[in-house]
Amino acid sequence: MAILITGGCGFIGSHTCIEMLAAGYDIVVLDNYYNASPIALQRVKELSGRDFPFYECDIRDEAGLRKIFAENKIDAVIHFAGLKAVGESVQKPLEYYDNNVGGTVTLCRVMAEAGCKRMIFSSSATVYGMSNPSPLLETYHTGEVTNPYGRTKYIIEEILKDVCVSDPAWSVVLLRYFNPIGAHESGRIGENPNGIPNNLMPYISQVAIGKRPFLSVFGDDYDTPDGTGVRDYIHVVDLAKGHVRATDFALKNTGAEVFNLGTGKGTSVLELVKTFERVNGVAVPYKVTPRRPGDIATCYSDPHKAEAVLQWKTEKTVEDMCRDTWRWQSQNPNGFEE
Ligand code: NAD
Ligand code: UD1
């Protein structure tokens, strides 16, 4: 019995490989290296002390996928593979629909053919859109998304629900991540953004290490305690452990089930900057700039469903997230380039 992890060389995927192995699962990893380095998996093997099959394969490559299912007994798929840059998705919508939506359809088709009908899917809090109030509950309406990336997540959720309706043997767990940050405690694996980071934490750590002169704080006139945007930051290792529980659940149940994976606590941009400076003893110069189009003031989860059903909740603090990000960034100033 093995679990196939698509996109397993990426940020969340590599951390999830470690937690799945630690929980006693056998894994098979697939990635096309579009946004990843082979070094990430070498380090996963080093940290876990385990070996496992890896396939350099694209989720849109039907023959490549068939070979993986023929050569391994796969019981479930944790599906991370996809493109994730919001701004880029506005410029290249067809690439996003082809890779994320088309790739998932191909993957599901090959899974069904192989008789493997269990999937844990990486969705996002972005599906809740702009108008739902926080804390966000799984039952709130979705689909009012503002960019092609978010729309791919919404569409894939709907496709996977339809698949479960069409065939009651399917088991799908839709995991809506809030804002994953942090890195493995060892400092050996972490987030490795390409070019200028879009997200807050990688930007902060690149300012702290001197790669960028200052952080732009996108607006300080929101209706929040200090005027800056509030988000639910979740440590990537807590998030990875959520996938272990979601896999346990998917193996025992059928149908489609949605879970938020978040802490339930909001942190502002300036709180994150100050915490990073304090716990790491480094300076993060910043300037307040205009709001980023499409941003909302506040977004945090109601995490109780995952706690009740999956027996999972986060354990790590914002301090841990800042400390572990900095350990990764300072030990690997150029990411996985050795
Ligand atoms: P990542 O880019 O680090 O990982 C994605 C991995 O998928 C990469 O290793 C990439 O090479 C691979 N990949 C992309 N397209 C592929 C394809 N067609 N075939 C095979 N492999 C392919 O991103 P991540 O941050 O680890 O995110 C993982 C998943 O979680 C993504 O689906 C992302 O949309 C989702 N997600 C991420 C966040 C976040 O903030 N990081 C938030 C919500 C949801
Ligand atoms: C963004 C995406 C969301 C995606 C998520 C992945 C947008 C509009 N949304 O969410 O679809 O699922 O990343 O984690 O891009 N900020 C700054 N300066 C910066 C960067 C960010 O002030 O240089 C602020 C933002 O205004 C926001 C907060 O930091 O208030 C977090 O931003 P970010 O890390 O980009 O995540 P989200 O916007 O929540």
Side-chain angles (χ1 to χ4, degrees):
M1 157 158 152
I3 309 298
L4 175 65
I5 303 185
T6 76
C9 299
F11 171 46
I12 305 170
S14 56
H15 290 83
T16 300
C17 288
I18 290 187
E19 296 307 323
M20 290 294 287
L21 291 165
Y25 280 105
D26 289 325
I27 62 171
V28 174
V29 175
L30 164 173
D31 204 295
N32 68 354
Y33 288 138
Y34 178 83
N35 191 34
S37 158
I39 297 170
L41 272 202
Q42 279 173 25
R43 293 190 180 175
V44 167
K45 290 181 181 179
E46 159 203 311
L47 289 167
S48 62
R50 297 260 311 264
D51 200 4
F52 46 83
F54 169 74
Y55 293 83
E56 185 173 347
C57 177
D58 193 295
I59 50 166
R60 293 163 294 181
D61 170 6
E62 208 159 323
L65 291 176
R66 282 208 184 96
K67 183 169 182 286
I68 298 175
F69 281 89
E71 291 179 358
N72 300 277
K73 164 130 186 37
I74 307 290
D75 294 277
V77 177
I78 305 181
H79 179 29
F80 293 108
L83 306 180
K84 63 163 184 175
V86 172
E88 185 187 62
S89 78
V90 177
Q91 305 306 321
K92 301 177 178 172
L94 297 179
E95 283 185 29
Y96 273 68
Y97 289 116
D98 182 43
N99 200 333
N100 294 5
V101 179
T104 303
V105 170
T106 302
L107 174 62
C108 287
R109 198 184 296 127
V110 175
M111 286 174 66
E113 239 177 59
C116 171
K117 298 184 178 178
R118 299 178 190 280
M119 179 185 280
I120 296 90
F121 174 65
S122 300
S123 189
S124 166
T126 197
V127 301
Y128 289 115
M130 310 278 286
S131 54
N132 283 304
S134 288
L136 292 157
L137 273 167
E138 288 87 348
T139 47
Y140 286 0
H141 78 269
T142 55
E144 235 186 277
V145 280
T146 52
N147 56 72
Y149 163 73
R151 214 160 281 126
T152 67
K153 293 296 178 191
Y154 170 70
I155 293 169
I156 294 167
E157 283 199 1
E158 297 305 302
I159 291 173
L160 295 175
K161 288 182 206 165
D162 287 342
V163 167
C164 288
V165 171
S166 75
D167 178 352
W170 273 87
S171 169
V172 168
V173 181
L174 305 171
L175 298 178
R176 294 183 183 151
Y177 309 157
F178 281 68
N179 290 57
I181 60 170
H184 193 261
E185 224 180 15
S186 63
R188 298 290 287 158
I189 57 169
E191 190 170 9
N192 188 22
N194 250 334
I196 302 173
N198 300 301
N199 297 116
L200 179 61
M201 187 54 126
Y203 210 104
I204 289 177
S205 59
Q206 291 200 2
V207 171
I209 202 139
K211 279 194 174 175
R212 317 216 171 258
F214 62 90
L215 168 76
S216 296
V217 172
F218 297 147
D220 66 352
D221 56 351
Y222 283 106
D223 183 15
T224 61
D226 66 15
T228 66
V230 167
R231 298 289 184 274
D232 184 345
Y233 297 98
I234 172 171
H235 196 295
V236 65
V237 171
D238 276 335
L239 186 68
K241 288 179 176 163
H243 290 73
V244 176
R245 296 298 170 84
T247 304
D248 300 342
F249 179 86
L251 292 173
K252 289 195 204 106
N253 294 277
T254 54
E257 205 66 58
V258 184
F259 296 99
N260 287 336
L261 295 186
T263 65
K265 289 188 218 70
T267 302
S268 76
V269 175
L270 288 183
E271 277 173 326
L272 193 64
V273 169
K274 297 294 166 202
T275 308
F276 194 96
E277 290 184 315
R278 176 169 54 77
V279 304
N280 296 319
V282 290
V284 180
Y286 67 85
K287 289 183 190 167
V288 176
T289 60
R291 293 179 178 194
R292 178 171 66 180
D295 274 358
I296 51 175
T298 302
C299 171
Y300 59 92
S301 66
D302 182 320
H304 292 106
K305 183 178 173 189
E307 186 174 351
V309 180
L310 302 179
Q311 284 85 50
W312 169 90
K313 64 175 177 165
T314 59
E315 288 166 359
K316 293 183 183 277
T317 62
V318 172
E319 280 81 2
D320 296 328
M321 303 179 207
C322 290
R323 203 176 295 114
D324 293 340
T325 299
W326 182 236
R327 189 178 299 110
W328 154 251
Q329 175 74 72
S330 51
Q331 290 180 11
N332 306 268
N334 298 314
F336 286 113
E337 286 164 32
E338 278 186 327

